[in-house]
Amino acid sequence: MQLHTYLNFNGQCEEAFEFYKSIFGGDILFMMRNSDAPMAKDMPADKLNRVMHARIMIAGQIVMGSDVPEDCAEKPQGFSVTINTPDPAEAERVFNALNVGAEVRMPLEETFWAVRFGMLTDRFGIPWMVNCERPMPA
């Protein structure tokens, strides 16, 4: 069994995945547009370039996403995509990279459980937590 994150966007899936690729590296493994679907001939022209399904591999983990129909687009809530790293410098790099056009909900800082922890909602509306935990006592 595998557990994957699936992100919904309102027309920005490709841009978001390219942005995430620039931050995390990895590869966009698959990107299908509405224009690639058998029912493309029945779709309005302005919907053809929207992403029907995409998949990116980041640090050995799969993240999937798509552009949902406009009338189904909702603000993401009740979850955060969480990045855990043992390296405080990497936590800072990731947080700062995601922070382009983002809304910071908690600045990246030291907490009682982490050397660095911060929360933001990126420019695509996706909530993130960046975490660099303190080493656990032996």
Side-chain angles (χ1 to χ4, degrees):
M1 180 182 295
Q2 296 178 331
L3 181 64
H4 298 294
T5 301
Y6 201 102
L7 304 174
N8 292 312
F9 300 91
N10 189 9
Q12 310 106 337
C13 183
E14 181 175 15
E15 182 184 356
F17 273 41
E18 290 293 343
F19 180 64
Y20 302 150
K21 180 181 174 183
S22 75
I23 295 169
F24 302 112
D27 295 305
I28 296 176
L29 303 173
F30 183 81
M31 189 163 296
M32 176 184 276
R33 300 179 189 293
N34 289 338
S35 60
D36 300 321
M39 61 284 217
K41 64 183 180 333
D42 300 323
M43 288 187 156
D46 64 332
K47 308 290 187 256
L48 293 174
N49 204 37
R50 291 174 72 91
V51 174
M52 179 178 279
H53 179 69
R55 187 169 57 245
I56 186 171
M57 176 78 74
I58 299 172
Q61 305 295 311
I62 296 286
V63 176
M64 296 183 280
S66 66
D67 289 319
V68 297
E70 291 93 338
D71 60 338
C72 295
E74 296 178 357
K75 180 180 176 184
Q77 60 184 7
F79 77 97
S80 293
V81 180
T82 304
I83 302 297
N84 284 300
T85 177
D87 180 8
E90 178 67 355
E92 289 185 26
R93 183 195 71 78
V94 168
F95 189 86
N96 291 334
L98 286 168
N99 195 11
V100 175
E103 176 189 340
V104 174
R105 296 182 295 145
M106 180 179 173
L108 190 70
E109 58 192 18
E110 188 171 348
T111 68
F112 65 91
W113 75 87
V115 177
R116 295 284 181 279
F117 177 81
M119 300 186 306
L120 58 80
T121 300
D122 74 17
R123 69 183 194 221
F124 305 103
I126 303 300
W128 292 84
M129 293 191 299
V130 177
N131 193 41
C132 176
E133 294 177 348
R134 293 184 186 283
M136 299 302 280

